[in-house]
Amino acid sequence: MKKNQGRLTNISLRKKSIAIFFLLVTLPSLLVGYAFLNRYDTILRQQFIDSTEKNLNTIEMNLYEKIKTVDDMTDYMIYQKDFRNFMQTAETPETLDQLNKDRESIEGFVAFQLMSKSYIKSITLQGLKGNTMQLGEPVDGPEQPWIDLAKENRGRIVWSNSYPLTSAWTGPKRVVSLFRIINSFDDLTKTVGLVIVRLNESEISKLLTAAIPKEQGSIFILRPDGTVLLDSNKELIGQPYPNSELLNAVNQSSSQVTKIEINGKNHVVFNKFMRSTGWNIVTLVSDETIVAKTSALKVSLQALFLVVFIFGLFALIGFELAIIRPMLELKKQTSRLKTGDFSARVTVRSRDEIGELGRQFNNMVQTIKELIDKKYKLEIQQKESELRILQSQMDPHFLYNTLDMIRWTARLEKAPETSQLIEALSGFFRMSMNREKRTATLADELEFVRSYLNLQQKRMGSKLAFSLLMEASLEEVVLPRRLIQPLVENSIKHSFISRQKGEIRVRCYRSLQDELIIDVADTGMGFTKERLQAIRQALAEKSSDESLVGHALCNIHELISLVYGGGYGVEIPEEYNQTGACVRLRIPIQTNGQEAI
């Protein structure tokens, strides 16, 4: 179990996300889609079956209504006196008037039926006494077999199959007709006439095709013996239906849905039995038709599931771009940082939590790099400075003792000025050789500068004048040692031309931002605009080009930046560089208790 857990924990984040997408999105979508499509296919099939059965019920009701109306008409003829008289009375001069009255009455009744029921095309009345009436369209066709069958049935209704007629008005057509022998009302065994009611086949066909269009399947009417009464295929009319399996399915139940196979294709058989006539209204629909009815919707559902899958894939890609890749890049940069490569940086492309994590990583690397640079560079610079001093100076004790001996010798020889110069030089060397502390107070630094300027003034005489000014509250402010003296030395070295008088002013004061400002200004040659711009750019870029900034400016600026951070260091204020040169040091105010070094 633990081994399996170990293997799972070793899987990469990208593989885990792909596995999660496949197991929780793709696979469930496919399974649900497959189950849904199958279920929906079943539902649509059942809906199609229910709809077809409902249509067959409607057809059966409408067809029954028409047949019942025709049956009632013939019943009315049996019981109505005018019809019986017309059929039983021979036409003679004595009966002519009565027959004419009967004809008018019959014509009025039949005309009403023909006008109100468009599916009835014509009605024929034949009396045994020779009286005949042809109402509606005058037609002619092969009706004698049905007349003979009606006589055999002795008053029972006989419905014909669909058969062709020729109309004197509209030409060839097909009809389904009712044939019935009219018996005497007084003696039911006595035949008095024949009635033929012809129904337009196209009207009945419209009822059938309303349920099942021709392109979807076929619908036809079978007699109880299995012969075809009505079908779009005229060759089958009057013949037994050629498929025995269908006939068996129809005979097994009055109303059912059965599946059969015809010519290697599956079909669904719908059957509706008409009790009034014994007919079966049969619908035959191929399984392909039912599938075609549902295929459009199934295609839409499949497209929907495909769209869902594509959106899920886009979600995976978005997850890859927004989370996985930034995390892998963070891992890569962390590995670089682990090896000591402090140039490692994460590319931040967003402002969300992942982007914030990248920014924090970059800030952390930058902070670590600055701290390391600050600590080690400061130590290295200090060591190099000490080395230079050790290499260029003699043993301090020997130097101090020698200078002290020379000073006393000068006093004994009554040379007080020489003695003072030697004493100033001895104090200058003593302060410059003190390497125990890295910081000094501002007062000590100015005293060191004063000793240096006193020596330089003795050397240069009246050419050099100087002034050192400091606010009283700044005496105990601490700062790195030897920051001011190199600037004063630069002013003497670069600003004064031989035989030209000059002045050096050192001014220390507190700024409005509560910072220590040290201005070292002189009245010498100053900076040209081009050199001033070049020096500023070099200081901003921390250039080591001594031809531009000088060794002292470069070291002092880097030292202050290392100790106090950005925003502090050497500045060249343009407003004070009009009549000479001015270099400004900006340092935060710190006392001994706040010493940063």
Side-chain angles (χ1 to χ4, degrees):
M1 184 66 180
K2 292 183 178 179
K3 290 183 178 179
N4 293 333
Q5 290 179 350
R7 292 176 181 175
L8 291 176
T9 55
N10 292 331
I11 298 176
S12 66
L13 186 61
R14 181 178 284 116
K15 291 181 179 179
K16 286 180 181 178
S17 63
I18 294 174
I20 290 173
F21 173 75
F22 178 77
L23 294 176
L24 299 183
V25 178
T26 305
L27 188 60
S29 297
L30 292 177
L31 293 177
V32 171
Y34 179 77
F36 183 80
L37 287 175
N38 284 343
R39 178 60 180 165
Y40 204 76
D41 182 68
T42 303
I43 292 174
L44 290 177
R45 283 174 175 269
Q46 188 60 43
Q47 286 182 348
F48 180 82
I49 291 173
D50 294 342
S51 175
T52 303
E53 289 185 323
K54 182 178 179 181
N55 291 339
L56 287 178
N57 290 332
T58 302
I59 292 172
E60 191 270 338
M61 291 176 60
N62 292 335
L63 190 57
Y64 170 79
E65 181 182 353
K66 291 177 172 53
I67 291 174
K68 185 68 169 59
T69 299
V70 175
D71 290 348
D72 292 342
M73 287 173 54
T74 58
D75 290 340
Y76 178 79
M77 293 176 185
I78 294 173
Y79 298 108
Q80 217 280 334
K81 183 179 179 181
D82 295 338
F83 283 91
R84 295 201 311 272
N85 289 336
F86 176 77
M87 293 182 182
Q88 295 181 100
T89 305
E91 185 176 345
T92 62
E94 292 80 11
T95 61
L96 184 60
D97 292 336
Q98 183 61 40
L99 287 175
N100 288 333
K101 291 180 180 181
D102 292 338
R103 283 192 179 95
E104 289 179 3
S105 176
I106 293 171
E107 287 176 352
F109 172 78
V110 173
F112 173 77
Q113 300 299 327
L114 292 174
M115 293 179 63
S116 61
K117 300 172 180 61
S118 59
Y119 54 89
I120 300 177
K121 304 308 294 181
S122 68
I123 298 177
T124 299
L125 294 175
Q126 294 179 359
L128 294 182
K129 299 297 185 178
N131 299 329
T132 302
M133 290 185 67
Q134 177 75 32
L135 303 172
E137 292 186 20
V139 294
D140 181 39
E143 296 181 333
Q144 190 58 44
W146 301 107
I147 295 174
D148 295 339
L149 184 60
K151 290 178 179 180
E152 293 178 5
N153 281 271
R154 298 182 179 182
R156 293 196 301 272
I157 294 175
V158 173
W159 282 98
S160 71
N161 299 328
S162 171
Y163 64 93
L165 287 179
T166 301
S167 171
W169 295 351
T170 58
K173 63 174 51 185
R174 298 186 71 88
V175 295
V176 176
S177 301
L178 177 147
F179 294 85
R180 187 174 188 179
I181 294 296
I182 304 299
N183 293 322
S184 173
F185 182 72
D186 300 323
D187 185 1
L188 295 178
T189 61
K190 182 180 179 182
T191 300
V192 297
L194 172 70
V195 60
I196 303 174
V197 182
R198 304 176 184 87
L199 308 184
N200 192 352
E201 182 197 274
S202 62
E203 294 290 333
I204 301 175
S205 297
K206 286 181 182 179
L207 289 176
L208 301 181
T209 55
I212 299 294
K214 291 182 178 180
E215 63 272 11
Q216 295 184 7
S218 59
I219 183 169
F220 47 90
I221 299 177
L222 296 180
R223 290 182 175 277
D225 60 358
T227 58
V228 179
L229 184 147
L230 180 64
D231 195 316
S232 58
N233 186 356
K234 308 308 178 186
E235 296 180 357
L236 296 178
I237 295 176
Q239 304 295 325
Y241 195 82
N243 189 279
S244 59
E245 188 175 353
L246 182 141
L247 294 178
N248 292 333
V250 170
N251 293 329
Q252 285 177 3
S253 177
S254 59
S255 298
Q256 68 174 0
V257 179
T258 309
K259 292 184 178 180
I260 64 172
E261 183 177 334
I262 300 177
N263 298 328
K265 294 183 179 180
N266 294 325
H267 291 73
V268 179
V269 178
F270 300 87
N271 176 37
K272 185 63 181 178
F273 179 71
M274 295 183 63
R275 297 185 181 277
S276 60
T277 59
W279 299 346
N280 287 285
I281 304 175
V282 181
T283 300
L284 186 64
V285 181
S286 68
D287 197 58
E288 293 178 354
T289 301
I290 300 177
V291 172
K293 290 281 288 184
T294 63
S295 61
L297 187 55
K298 288 171 67 176
V299 169
S300 300
L301 290 174
Q302 290 171 353
L304 177 62
F305 284 118
L306 180 61
V307 169
V308 171
F309 176 78
I310 291 174
F311 274 106
L313 187 60
F314 283 154
L316 177 63
I317 295 173
F319 185 76
E320 163 78 15
L321 296 177
I323 297 178
I324 296 178
R325 283 193 180 180
M327 294 299 293
L328 294 179
E329 184 179 1
L330 182 60
K331 175 188 174 185
K332 177 181 177 182
Q333 300 303 326
T334 304
S335 300
R336 290 180 58 189
L337 180 62
K338 183 179 178 181
T339 61
D341 184 1
F342 291 99
S343 64
R345 290 293 185 276
V346 174
T347 303
V348 179
R349 298 183 177 88
S350 64
R351 298 181 179 271
D352 55 11
E353 289 78 0
I354 299 294
E356 183 63 24
L357 184 62
R359 282 189 289 273
Q360 294 297 335
F361 175 82
N362 293 339
N363 293 337
M364 180 190 70
V365 174
Q366 183 63 29
T367 302
I368 294 174
K369 185 176 183 298
E370 289 177 355
L371 289 174
I372 292 176
D373 290 346
K374 178 178 178 181
K375 178 177 176 61
Y376 286 98
K377 282 188 177 180
L378 190 60
E379 290 183 356
I380 291 171
Q381 189 180 51
Q382 185 70 22
K383 294 296 183 182
E384 289 178 350
S385 177
E386 292 176 358
L387 261 175
R388 285 195 299 268
I389 293 173
L390 289 174
Q391 290 171 354
S392 62
Q393 304 297 331
M394 297 187 302
D395 185 1
H397 297 287
F398 173 76
L399 181 62
Y400 299 155
N401 293 335
T402 302
L403 290 175
D404 191 54
M405 180 187 67
I406 296 173
R407 180 173 65 84
W408 283 105
T409 301
R411 283 191 176 186
L412 292 174
E413 294 178 350
K414 298 181 179 181
E417 187 174 353
T418 303
S419 176
Q420 291 176 1
L421 286 173
I422 293 173
E423 184 177 2
L425 179 61
S426 177
F428 175 76
F429 282 146
R430 185 177 289 108
M431 285 187 286
S432 65
M433 292 296 183
N434 186 7
R435 302 187 300 274
E436 295 178 358
K437 296 183 64 177
R438 295 179 181 176
T439 60
T441 63
L442 181 60
D444 290 341
E445 277 296 291
L446 288 181
E447 186 62 29
F448 178 69
V449 173
R450 186 184 301 277
S451 296
Y452 175 76
L453 287 173
N454 283 331
L455 291 172
Q456 291 291 350
Q457 192 176 46
K458 291 295 182 180
R459 182 177 66 86
M460 299 176 65
S462 61
K463 291 183 181 180
L464 175 63
F466 67 89
S467 62
L468 304 177
L469 301 176
M470 177 184 63
E471 288 187 15
S473 61
L474 301 176
E475 292 179 351
E476 298 301 321
V477 172
V478 295
L479 68 162
R481 297 172 66 244
R482 309 300 177 260
L483 290 183
I484 306 174
Q485 186 270 334
L487 300 179
V488 173
E489 185 178 349
N490 274 356
S491 293
I492 295 174
K493 185 184 297 185
H494 301 294
S495 298
F496 297 110
I497 303 176
S498 179
R499 299 179 182 180
Q500 180 180 354
K501 292 183 178 182
E503 182 182 358
I504 295 177
R505 297 184 297 274
V506 179
R507 181 169 172 256
C508 305
Y509 59 94
R510 187 189 300 266
S511 70
L512 296 177
Q513 290 77 28
D514 201 28
E515 298 171 337
L516 173 60
I517 304 297
I518 302 174
D519 287 341
V520 178
D522 59 57
T523 59
M525 299 172 56
F527 301 117
T528 64
K529 289 185 178 181
E530 293 77 10
R531 184 172 179 77
L532 184 62
Q533 183 65 28
I535 292 174
R536 285 177 176 168
Q537 183 175 356
L539 290 175
E541 297 174 355
K542 296 183 179 180
S543 173
S544 59
D545 187 356
E546 296 185 12
S547 64
L548 287 175
V549 298
H551 185 71
L553 286 182
C554 178
N555 287 346
I556 292 171
H557 181 70
E558 185 174 3
L559 177 61
I560 295 175
S561 298
L562 285 172
V563 174
Y564 300 111
Y568 300 103
V570 176
E571 298 178 359
I572 311 294
E574 187 172 0
E575 63 272 16
Y576 295 111
N577 282 277
Q578 303 297 328
T579 59
C582 178
V583 177
R584 173 174 293 172
L585 304 182
R586 185 181 297 275
I587 301 172
I589 294 178
Q590 294 179 342
T591 62
N592 285 321
Q594 301 170 321
E595 187 174 345
I597 303 300

